[in-house]
């Protein structure tokens, strides 16, 4: 898979164009990035009430902190806006569903849209929301770089080879290397549909500049810092299923 360019920006750039019954780029993924603060400032105040469904509005209302509520609302409005454009339908009419969980079979696997070959995934951290759309199962993750103390603690949950790679680095280089590894790992687990219910230590994705594929899942790092002003201090990755069956 060709490494993706910097994501397109929700708001300033034109929305995608629907192609009846087909993924526009023949399966090549597209990524989009949304700034929560900018999107919220430009948002129609009535949009959450007319576009989000009852479940989304209820979940948004449960957040105690305004910043968490704004991030959730912006992420779901942006997702509906993009999916509606790709599918040629009003954002409020996008028919969300959940695939079966690969672990237990319950209805809490990957999010999906009924009756379309389009696959999608999203992740948010800080002021950023990252979306990916593709013709095969896809997962994404975006994270803020963490201080060394957090890296040292969470690194214990990584694959043994990844822990050894981090241990070999100078302390100043570990946060960026850990962020590369963790975003790849979460993107892969989200693409599988398991999330962190699957032990992140099982699969090796690497901490270096070149991501390591996992079976048929191709890993790519997403250059979010190049895409949006003020994005410095984030890492992001995408996992794309390049062939069936799953690893």
């Amino acid at each position: 898979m060709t490494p993706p360019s910097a994501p397109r920006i929700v708001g300033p750039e034109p929305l995608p164009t629907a192609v009846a019954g087909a993924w526009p780029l023949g399966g090549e993924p597209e990524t989009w990035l949304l700034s929560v603060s900018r999107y919220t400032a430009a948002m129609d105040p009535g949009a959450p009430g007319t576009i989000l469904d009852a479940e989304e509005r209820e979940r948004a209302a449960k957040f105690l902190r305004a910043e968490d509520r704004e991030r959730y609302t912006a992420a779901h409005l942006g997702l509906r806006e993009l999916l509606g454009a790709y599918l040629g339908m009003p954002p409020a009419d996008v028919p969300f569903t959940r695939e079966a969980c690969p672990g237990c079979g319950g209805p809490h696997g990957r999010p999906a849209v009924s009756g379309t070959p389009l696959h999608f995934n999203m992740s948010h951290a800080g002021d950023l929301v990252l979306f990916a759309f593709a013709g095969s199962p896809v997962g994404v993750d975006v994270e803020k770089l963490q201080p060394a103390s957090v890296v040292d603690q969470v690194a214990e949950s990584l694959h043994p080879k990844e822990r050894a790679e981090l241990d070999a680095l100078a302390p100043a280089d570990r946060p960026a290397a850990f962020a590369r590894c963790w975003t790849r790992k979460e993107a892969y687990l989200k693409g599988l549909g398991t999330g962190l219910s699957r032990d992140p230590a099982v699969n090796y994705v690497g901490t270096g500049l070149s991501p390591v594929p996992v079976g048929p899942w191709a890993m790519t790092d997403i250059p979010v810092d190049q895409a949006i002003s003020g994005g410095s201090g984030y890492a992001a990755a995408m996992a794309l299923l390049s062939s069936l069956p799953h690893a």
Side-chain angles (χ1 to χ4, degrees):
M1 182 178 66
T2 303
S5 58
R8 297 169 67 183
I9 308 299
V10 178
E13 297 186 19
L15 288 172
T17 302
V19 177
W23 171 239
L25 299 180
E28 285 299 313
E30 284 193 348
T31 56
W32 291 78
L33 197 63
L34 178 151
S35 164
V36 174
S37 57
R38 297 178 195 177
Y39 188 86
T40 301
M43 184 178 68
D44 177 354
T50 58
I51 296 177
L52 300 183
D53 64 22
E55 181 180 353
E56 289 168 320
R57 295 194 300 271
E58 181 179 354
R59 289 191 64 184
K62 289 181 178 179
F63 288 104
L64 299 179
R65 298 196 307 169
E67 62 185 274
D68 294 331
R69 186 164 56 250
E70 288 179 356
R71 185 183 301 114
Y72 177 90
T73 300
H76 284 257
L77 283 172
L79 178 62
R80 283 185 172 274
E81 184 178 5
L82 290 167
L83 283 170
Y86 278 121
L87 301 173
M89 64 176 60
D93 294 343
V94 174
F96 285 112
T97 186
R98 282 277 185 176
E99 297 179 355
C101 171
C104 69
H108 48 259
R110 282 189 303 262
V113 176
S114 301
T116 173
L118 178 62
H119 295 261
F120 68 91
N121 203 247
M122 76 172 177
S123 175
H124 48 74
D127 189 53
L128 300 185
V129 183
L130 177 64
F131 306 93
F133 303 88
S136 62
V138 63
V140 289
D141 188 53
V142 59
E143 302 281 349
K144 297 185 73 172
L145 268 63
Q146 298 297 318
S149 58
V150 175
V151 171
D152 290 343
Q153 180 179 3
V154 183
E156 294 301 315
S157 64
L158 299 180
H159 188 279
K161 287 179 62 178
E162 293 160 350
R163 296 201 301 269
E165 290 171 2
L166 289 176
D167 289 343
L169 294 175
D173 296 330
R174 288 174 191 161
F178 171 80
R180 287 192 296 266
C181 178
W182 189 258
T183 53
R184 296 166 188 168
K185 199 171 291 283
E186 278 229 52
Y188 167 64
L189 296 176
K190 289 176 67 180
L192 284 179
T194 64
L196 290 172
S197 66
R198 179 183 172 97
D199 186 353
V202 171
N203 299 105
Y204 173 75
V205 297
T207 66
L209 297 178
S210 298
V212 177
V214 180
W217 289 86
M219 304 287 171
T220 56
D221 295 332
I222 306 295
V224 293
D225 284 357
Q226 300 174 23
I228 192 165
S229 176
S232 180
Y234 291 84
M238 176 176 65
L240 182 71
L241 184 62
S242 55
S243 63
L244 295 174
H246 295 178

